[in-house]
Amino acid sequence: MDEKKKNQLGFIHQFIPSNNSKGNSSTLVLLHGTGGNENDLIPIARVLSPANASILSPLGKVLENGMPRFFRRLSEGVFDIEDLKFRTHELVHFIENASKLYSFDLEHVIAVGYSNGANIASSILLLRPEILSTAILFRPMVPFIPDTLPNLISKNIFMSAGEWDPIVPRQNTEKLFDIFKKAHANISIHWQKSGHELGQEEILAAKEWLSHHIS
Ligand code: MLT
């Protein structure tokens, strides 16, 4: 790959093409948590996608005390909504341009996000749902309350929440679930006996769910 063209996409990222010779597989867009990087979720993507999906994994551009994120926050759980919306459109633009550079199909894009990455994936679902067919959201919270609900009728969403997550209260998870439900998404929720950290059991639950929703 031409490094110059790769750099012009505007996000440091990993792209791992599918080894499906028919070239019609899905692409997983991996969105790491605060302090993570573009390599973090690749082992999880490998577990989730036996069907040889391509992987596009950007590094968040916002630094908080040196820790990469996908958008600014004012404090824990209090988001800079203007920045969040700007970063959401910027990320969608990156995915669109990456699909041209790497020739992947924009009809089959699956977001896989953890924590801050799940929050920007939720924001994409609320602002630019056309770019995603499916989303797997580990420890998401309500990114913002939309003025008007999007139509998520053909979208598949898997949410995974921690029963005693100190960062995402249960009511916040339930509120996000309700927003997606009211927007007519095909949504499932998995409650994990854990805090904010990701566990093996929920990754396997997501894998099982995805095997029924991947086209
Ligand atoms: C985080 O630490 O990433 C928070 O839980 C979520 C966020 O700030 O988006």
PDB file of all heavy atoms in Angstrom, residues 33-34 64 69 71 73 75-79 114-117 119-120 139 141 167-168 196, ligand 1:
ATOM      1  N   GLY A  33     -10.962   1.918  23.290  1.00  0.00           N
ATOM      2  CA  GLY A  33     -11.342   2.740  24.444  1.00  0.00           C
ATOM      3  C   GLY A  33     -10.273   3.791  24.749  1.00  0.00           C
ATOM      4  O   GLY A  33      -9.202   3.813  24.133  1.00  0.00           O
ATOM      5  N   THR A  34     -10.558   4.666  25.721  1.00  0.00           N
ATOM      6  CA  THR A  34      -9.615   5.724  26.115  1.00  0.00           C
ATOM      7  C   THR A  34      -8.265   5.122  26.522  1.00  0.00           C
ATOM      8  O   THR A  34      -8.229   4.185  27.327  1.00  0.00           O
ATOM      9  CB  THR A  34     -10.187   6.513  27.313  1.00  0.00           C
ATOM     10  OG1 THR A  34     -11.446   7.038  26.939  1.00  0.00           O
ATOM     11  CG2 THR A  34      -9.269   7.645  27.723  1.00  0.00           C
ATOM     12  N   GLU A  64      -6.118  12.968  25.675  1.00  0.00           N
ATOM     13  CA  GLU A  64      -6.473  13.441  27.022  1.00  0.00           C
ATOM     14  C   GLU A  64      -5.327  13.008  27.940  1.00  0.00           C
ATOM     15  O   GLU A  64      -5.182  11.802  28.187  1.00  0.00           O
ATOM     16  CB  GLU A  64      -7.799  12.800  27.458  1.00  0.00           C
ATOM     17  CG  GLU A  64      -8.307  13.318  28.771  1.00  0.00           C
ATOM     18  CD  GLU A  64      -9.531  12.548  29.243  1.00  0.00           C
ATOM     19  OE1 GLU A  64      -9.334  11.498  29.906  1.00  0.00           O
ATOM     20  OE2 GLU A  64     -10.641  12.965  28.954  1.00  0.00           O
ATOM     21  N   ARG A  69      -8.304   9.199  22.385  1.00  0.00           N
ATOM     22  CA  ARG A  69      -9.757   8.995  22.439  1.00  0.00           C
ATOM     23  C   ARG A  69     -10.315   9.407  21.080  1.00  0.00           C
ATOM     24  O   ARG A  69      -9.628   9.995  20.258  1.00  0.00           O
ATOM     25  CB  ARG A  69     -10.414   9.925  23.475  1.00  0.00           C
ATOM     26  CG  ARG A  69     -10.103   9.671  24.895  1.00  0.00           C
ATOM     27  CD  ARG A  69     -10.699  10.764  25.810  1.00  0.00           C
ATOM     28  NE  ARG A  69     -12.094  11.081  25.567  1.00  0.00           N
ATOM     29  CZ  ARG A  69     -13.131  10.444  26.094  1.00  0.00           C
ATOM     30  NH1 ARG A  69     -12.931   9.443  26.925  1.00  0.00           N
ATOM     31  NH2 ARG A  69     -14.357  10.817  25.821  1.00  0.00           N
ATOM     32  N   PHE A  71     -13.166  11.458  20.888  1.00  0.00           N
ATOM     33  CA  PHE A  71     -13.754  12.808  21.006  1.00  0.00           C
ATOM     34  C   PHE A  71     -13.435  13.352  22.392  1.00  0.00           C
ATOM     35  O   PHE A  71     -13.078  12.583  23.304  1.00  0.00           O
ATOM     36  CB  PHE A  71     -15.272  12.786  20.746  1.00  0.00           C
ATOM     37  CG  PHE A  71     -16.042  11.886  21.675  1.00  0.00           C
ATOM     38  CD1 PHE A  71     -16.528  12.363  22.881  1.00  0.00           C
ATOM     39  CD2 PHE A  71     -16.270  10.560  21.351  1.00  0.00           C
ATOM     40  CE1 PHE A  71     -17.232  11.537  23.750  1.00  0.00           C
ATOM     41  CE2 PHE A  71     -16.977   9.721  22.212  1.00  0.00           C
ATOM     42  CZ  PHE A  71     -17.456  10.205  23.404  1.00  0.00           C
ATOM     43  N   ARG A  73     -13.936  14.992  26.106  1.00  0.00           N
ATOM     44  CA  ARG A  73     -14.919  15.019  27.203  1.00  0.00           C
ATOM     45  C   ARG A  73     -14.498  16.086  28.190  1.00  0.00           C
ATOM     46  O   ARG A  73     -13.325  16.445  28.287  1.00  0.00           O
ATOM     47  CB  ARG A  73     -15.059  13.652  27.875  1.00  0.00           C
ATOM     48  CG  ARG A  73     -13.842  13.182  28.592  1.00  0.00           C
ATOM     49  CD  ARG A  73     -14.037  11.830  29.277  1.00  0.00           C
ATOM     50  NE  ARG A  73     -12.737  11.277  29.612  1.00  0.00           N
ATOM     51  CZ  ARG A  73     -12.531  10.102  30.157  1.00  0.00           C
ATOM     52  NH1 ARG A  73     -13.546   9.302  30.424  1.00  0.00           N
ATOM     53  NH2 ARG A  73     -11.318   9.683  30.441  1.00  0.00           N
ATOM     54  N   SER A  75     -15.432  15.935  31.522  1.00  0.00           N
ATOM     55  CA  SER A  75     -15.047  15.157  32.701  1.00  0.00           C
ATOM     56  C   SER A  75     -15.593  13.748  32.464  1.00  0.00           C
ATOM     57  O   SER A  75     -16.235  13.498  31.447  1.00  0.00           O
ATOM     58  CB  SER A  75     -15.624  15.772  33.985  1.00  0.00           C
ATOM     59  OG  SER A  75     -17.035  15.801  33.895  1.00  0.00           O
ATOM     60  N   GLU A  76     -15.350  12.858  33.392  1.00  0.00           N
ATOM     61  CA  GLU A  76     -15.810  11.475  33.252  1.00  0.00           C
ATOM     62  C   GLU A  76     -17.318  11.432  32.961  1.00  0.00           C
ATOM     63  O   GLU A  76     -18.110  11.953  33.748  1.00  0.00           O
ATOM     64  CB  GLU A  76     -15.498  10.727  34.569  1.00  0.00           C
ATOM     65  CG  GLU A  76     -15.913   9.281  34.619  1.00  0.00           C
ATOM     66  CD  GLU A  76     -15.021   8.384  33.786  1.00  0.00           C
ATOM     67  OE1 GLU A  76     -13.819   8.289  34.061  1.00  0.00           O
ATOM     68  OE2 GLU A  76     -15.562   7.786  32.825  1.00  0.00           O
ATOM     69  N   GLY A  77     -17.697  10.912  31.822  1.00  0.00           N
ATOM     70  CA  GLY A  77     -19.112  10.774  31.472  1.00  0.00           C
ATOM     71  C   GLY A  77     -19.782  12.065  31.002  1.00  0.00           C
ATOM     72  O   GLY A  77     -20.981  12.057  30.713  1.00  0.00           O
ATOM     73  N   VAL A  78     -19.051  13.181  30.947  1.00  0.00           N
ATOM     74  CA  VAL A  78     -19.629  14.451  30.469  1.00  0.00           C
ATOM     75  C   VAL A  78     -18.913  14.831  29.172  1.00  0.00           C
ATOM     76  O   VAL A  78     -17.724  15.183  29.183  1.00  0.00           O
ATOM     77  CB  VAL A  78     -19.472  15.591  31.510  1.00  0.00           C
ATOM     78  CG1 VAL A  78     -20.137  16.872  31.002  1.00  0.00           C
ATOM     79  CG2 VAL A  78     -20.050  15.171  32.860  1.00  0.00           C
ATOM     80  N   PHE A  79     -19.649  14.720  28.074  1.00  0.00           N
ATOM     81  CA  PHE A  79     -19.003  14.845  26.773  1.00  0.00           C
ATOM     82  C   PHE A  79     -19.096  16.250  26.204  1.00  0.00           C
ATOM     83  O   PHE A  79     -20.059  16.979  26.458  1.00  0.00           O
ATOM     84  CB  PHE A  79     -19.637  13.845  25.796  1.00  0.00           C
ATOM     85  CG  PHE A  79     -19.541  12.408  26.275  1.00  0.00           C
ATOM     86  CD1 PHE A  79     -20.535  11.488  25.974  1.00  0.00           C
ATOM     87  CD2 PHE A  79     -18.453  11.991  27.030  1.00  0.00           C
ATOM     88  CE1 PHE A  79     -20.439  10.179  26.437  1.00  0.00           C
ATOM     89  CE2 PHE A  79     -18.344  10.686  27.489  1.00  0.00           C
ATOM     90  CZ  PHE A  79     -19.353   9.773  27.193  1.00  0.00           C
ATOM     91  N   TYR A 114     -15.366  -0.353  22.026  1.00  0.00           N
ATOM     92  CA  TYR A 114     -15.311  -0.561  23.470  1.00  0.00           C
ATOM     93  C   TYR A 114     -15.246   0.800  24.174  1.00  0.00           C
ATOM     94  O   TYR A 114     -14.414   1.647  23.815  1.00  0.00           O
ATOM     95  CB  TYR A 114     -14.088  -1.416  23.849  1.00  0.00           C
ATOM     96  CG  TYR A 114     -13.792  -1.401  25.329  1.00  0.00           C
ATOM     97  CD1 TYR A 114     -14.721  -1.919  26.244  1.00  0.00           C
ATOM     98  CD2 TYR A 114     -12.624  -0.833  25.825  1.00  0.00           C
ATOM     99  CE1 TYR A 114     -14.469  -1.875  27.604  1.00  0.00           C
ATOM    100  CE2 TYR A 114     -12.365  -0.787  27.184  1.00  0.00           C
ATOM    101  CZ  TYR A 114     -13.298  -1.306  28.077  1.00  0.00           C
ATOM    102  OH  TYR A 114     -13.061  -1.253  29.428  1.00  0.00           O
ATOM    103  N   SER A 115     -16.145   1.048  25.120  1.00  0.00           N
ATOM    104  CA  SER A 115     -16.115   2.245  25.965  1.00  0.00           C
ATOM    105  C   SER A 115     -16.140   3.509  25.104  1.00  0.00           C
ATOM    106  O   SER A 115     -17.111   3.731  24.390  1.00  0.00           O
ATOM    107  CB  SER A 115     -14.891   2.159  26.886  1.00  0.00           C
ATOM    108  OG  SER A 115     -14.922   3.162  27.858  1.00  0.00           O
ATOM    109  N   ASN A 116     -15.101   4.318  25.093  1.00  0.00           N
ATOM    110  CA  ASN A 116     -15.132   5.543  24.280  1.00  0.00           C
ATOM    111  C   ASN A 116     -15.395   5.207  22.791  1.00  0.00           C
ATOM    112  O   ASN A 116     -16.128   5.933  22.107  1.00  0.00           O
ATOM    113  CB  ASN A 116     -13.803   6.290  24.439  1.00  0.00           C
ATOM    114  CG  ASN A 116     -13.767   7.557  23.616  1.00  0.00           C
ATOM    115  OD1 ASN A 116     -12.999   7.656  22.673  1.00  0.00           O
ATOM    116  ND2 ASN A 116     -14.608   8.520  23.949  1.00  0.00           N
ATOM    117  N   GLY A 117     -14.843   4.092  22.328  1.00  0.00           N
ATOM    118  CA  GLY A 117     -15.088   3.664  20.936  1.00  0.00           C
ATOM    119  C   GLY A 117     -16.537   3.249  20.718  1.00  0.00           C
ATOM    120  O   GLY A 117     -17.120   3.497  19.651  1.00  0.00           O
ATOM    121  N   ASN A 119     -18.953   4.560  22.324  1.00  0.00           N
ATOM    122  CA  ASN A 119     -19.737   5.807  22.382  1.00  0.00           C
ATOM    123  C   ASN A 119     -19.725   6.543  21.045  1.00  0.00           C
ATOM    124  O   ASN A 119     -20.762   7.065  20.617  1.00  0.00           O
ATOM    125  CB  ASN A 119     -19.216   6.702  23.510  1.00  0.00           C
ATOM    126  CG  ASN A 119     -19.423   6.059  24.865  1.00  0.00           C
ATOM    127  OD1 ASN A 119     -20.251   5.142  24.981  1.00  0.00           O
ATOM    128  ND2 ASN A 119     -18.695   6.481  25.866  1.00  0.00           N
ATOM    129  N   ILE A 120     -18.602   6.543  20.361  1.00  0.00           N
ATOM    130  CA  ILE A 120     -18.611   7.212  19.052  1.00  0.00           C
ATOM    131  C   ILE A 120     -19.353   6.335  18.032  1.00  0.00           C
ATOM    132  O   ILE A 120     -20.029   6.854  17.144  1.00  0.00           O
ATOM    133  CB  ILE A 120     -17.205   7.658  18.568  1.00  0.00           C
ATOM    134  CG1 ILE A 120     -17.387   8.691  17.435  1.00  0.00           C
ATOM    135  CG2 ILE A 120     -16.340   6.507  18.105  1.00  0.00           C
ATOM    136  CD1 ILE A 120     -16.273   9.676  17.259  1.00  0.00           C
ATOM    137  N   ARG A 139     -19.791  -1.836  26.627  1.00  0.00           N
ATOM    138  CA  ARG A 139     -19.816  -0.754  27.636  1.00  0.00           C
ATOM    139  C   ARG A 139     -20.131   0.625  27.035  1.00  0.00           C
ATOM    140  O   ARG A 139     -19.455   1.624  27.336  1.00  0.00           O
ATOM    141  CB  ARG A 139     -18.481  -0.648  28.399  1.00  0.00           C
ATOM    142  CG  ARG A 139     -18.010  -1.907  29.061  1.00  0.00           C
ATOM    143  CD  ARG A 139     -18.942  -2.341  30.182  1.00  0.00           C
ATOM    144  NE  ARG A 139     -18.445  -3.562  30.777  1.00  0.00           N
ATOM    145  CZ  ARG A 139     -18.594  -4.777  30.215  1.00  0.00           C
ATOM    146  NH1 ARG A 139     -19.261  -4.924  29.082  1.00  0.00           N
ATOM    147  NH2 ARG A 139     -18.120  -5.847  30.807  1.00  0.00           N
ATOM    148  N   MET A 141     -22.367   4.171  26.507  1.00  0.00           N
ATOM    149  CA  MET A 141     -23.311   4.997  27.244  1.00  0.00           C
ATOM    150  C   MET A 141     -23.982   5.963  26.262  1.00  0.00           C
ATOM    151  O   MET A 141     -23.567   6.046  25.105  1.00  0.00           O
ATOM    152  CB  MET A 141     -22.638   5.716  28.407  1.00  0.00           C
ATOM    153  CG  MET A 141     -21.470   6.571  28.076  1.00  0.00           C
ATOM    154  SD  MET A 141     -20.440   6.884  29.561  1.00  0.00           S
ATOM    155  CE  MET A 141     -21.522   7.933  30.507  1.00  0.00           C
ATOM    156  N   ILE A 167     -18.503   3.173  35.736  1.00  0.00           N
ATOM    157  CA  ILE A 167     -18.467   4.312  34.792  1.00  0.00           C
ATOM    158  C   ILE A 167     -19.810   4.477  34.088  1.00  0.00           C
ATOM    159  O   ILE A 167     -20.247   5.596  33.832  1.00  0.00           O
ATOM    160  CB  ILE A 167     -17.307   4.112  33.782  1.00  0.00           C
ATOM    161  CG1 ILE A 167     -15.974   4.182  34.534  1.00  0.00           C
ATOM    162  CG2 ILE A 167     -17.347   5.137  32.645  1.00  0.00           C
ATOM    163  CD1 ILE A 167     -14.758   3.827  33.720  1.00  0.00           C
ATOM    164  N   VAL A 168     -20.469   3.352  33.793  1.00  0.00           N
ATOM    165  CA  VAL A 168     -21.755   3.422  33.087  1.00  0.00           C
ATOM    166  C   VAL A 168     -22.868   2.877  33.997  1.00  0.00           C
ATOM    167  O   VAL A 168     -23.022   1.666  34.149  1.00  0.00           O
ATOM    168  CB  VAL A 168     -21.734   2.609  31.762  1.00  0.00           C
ATOM    169  CG1 VAL A 168     -23.007   2.864  30.972  1.00  0.00           C
ATOM    170  CG2 VAL A 168     -20.502   2.928  30.930  1.00  0.00           C
ATOM    171  N   HIS A 196     -16.283  -2.310  34.310  1.00  0.00           N
ATOM    172  CA  HIS A 196     -16.124  -1.692  32.985  1.00  0.00           C
ATOM    173  C   HIS A 196     -15.226  -2.550  32.076  1.00  0.00           C
ATOM    174  O   HIS A 196     -15.215  -2.370  30.867  1.00  0.00           O
ATOM    175  CB  HIS A 196     -15.533  -0.287  33.162  1.00  0.00           C
ATOM    176  CG  HIS A 196     -15.752   0.603  31.971  1.00  0.00           C
ATOM    177  ND1 HIS A 196     -17.006   0.971  31.529  1.00  0.00           N
ATOM    178  CD2 HIS A 196     -14.867   1.193  31.109  1.00  0.00           C
ATOM    179  CE1 HIS A 196     -16.893   1.758  30.458  1.00  0.00           C
ATOM    180  NE2 HIS A 196     -15.607   1.892  30.185  1.00  0.00           N
TER     181      HIS A 196
HETATM  182  C1  MLT B   1     -14.045   6.226  28.857  1.00  0.00           C
HETATM  183  O1  MLT B   1     -13.262   6.163  29.782  1.00  0.00           O
HETATM  184  O2  MLT B   1     -13.700   6.053  27.708  1.00  0.00           O
HETATM  185  C2  MLT B   1     -15.458   6.516  29.205  1.00  0.00           C
HETATM  186  O3  MLT B   1     -15.958   5.492  29.878  1.00  0.00           O
HETATM  187  C3  MLT B   1     -16.305   6.695  28.041  1.00  0.00           C
HETATM  188  C4  MLT B   1     -16.015   7.954  27.323  1.00  0.00           C
HETATM  189  O4  MLT B   1     -15.447   8.854  27.901  1.00  0.00           O
HETATM  190  O5  MLT B   1     -16.376   8.021  26.137  1.00  0.00           O
END
